[in-house]
Amino acid sequence: MKVTTKKNEQVANMIFASIYPHYLSRIEKNGRTKEELDQVIEWFTGFNATSLQNLIDEKVTFKTFFDKAKIHPNEHLIKGVVCGYRIEEIEEEFKLYKQCRQMEKLIDELAKGRKMEKILRKEKK
């Protein structure tokens, strides 16, 4: 599927705090913890538990969320399909949408029971 400007704007304007509980319930249904979810989000965005909670309390949009994030240098290693979109094929002009899908891919892997060391990608030597 192709990302459109409209779709990118819809995601940009969504409130992170309204989506986070869905992430949490999804991973908890599969035996994972809030701490593990926060660890995955911290690896990807640089937000520790306190700063993540502040962003939730402030009800920031995904645009603000990703504008403030320090995206991990290994984010290019996050590949695959999420919601019908192949992450590595999302155009650079839709960077926010790509980052959102990359984070969802990590959360998806967490929910599916993947080992943390695999989720938190490292460059191969």
Side-chain angles (χ1 to χ4, degrees), residues 101-112:
R101 292 297 178 205
Q102 286 173 314
M103 189 167 72
E104 286 178 14
K105 178 71 174 169
L106 298 174
I107 294 166
D108 205 35
E109 291 173 354
L110 183 66
K112 289 179 178 172

Side-chain angles (χ1 to χ4, degrees), residues 51-67:
S51 54
L52 185 60
Q53 189 57 54
N54 289 340
L55 292 167
I56 290 168
D57 293 344
E58 291 169 20
K59 295 188 176 4
V60 300
T61 62
F62 271 94
K63 178 179 182 351
T64 301
F65 181 84
F66 284 115
D67 282 349

Side-chain angles (χ1 to χ4, degrees), residues 1-13 83-86 89-98 100-101:
M1 288 200 302
K2 288 288 250 185
V3 180
T4 62
T5 302
K6 182 180 178 199
K7 192 69 168 161
N8 193 61
E9 287 173 14
Q10 284 176 326
V11 170
N13 293 321
C83 299
Y85 293 92
R86 177 154 293 284
E89 292 176 2
I90 297 174
E91 296 92 353
E92 195 55 35
E93 68 181 290
F94 303 120
K95 186 176 180 178
L96 180 138
Y97 192 84
K98 183 175 187 172
C100 188
R101 292 297 178 205

Side-chain angles (χ1 to χ4, degrees), residues 30-63:
N30 292 289
R32 302 308 283 259
T33 66
K34 179 184 187 308
E35 290 72 24
E36 288 174 308
L37 173 62
D38 290 352
Q39 181 183 356
V40 167
I41 293 173
E42 181 174 357
W43 177 87
F44 185 60
T45 64
F47 298 131
N48 64 24
T50 304
S51 54
L52 185 60
Q53 189 57 54
N54 289 340
L55 292 167
I56 290 168
D57 293 344
E58 291 169 20
K59 295 188 176 4
V60 300
T61 62
F62 271 94
K63 178 179 182 351

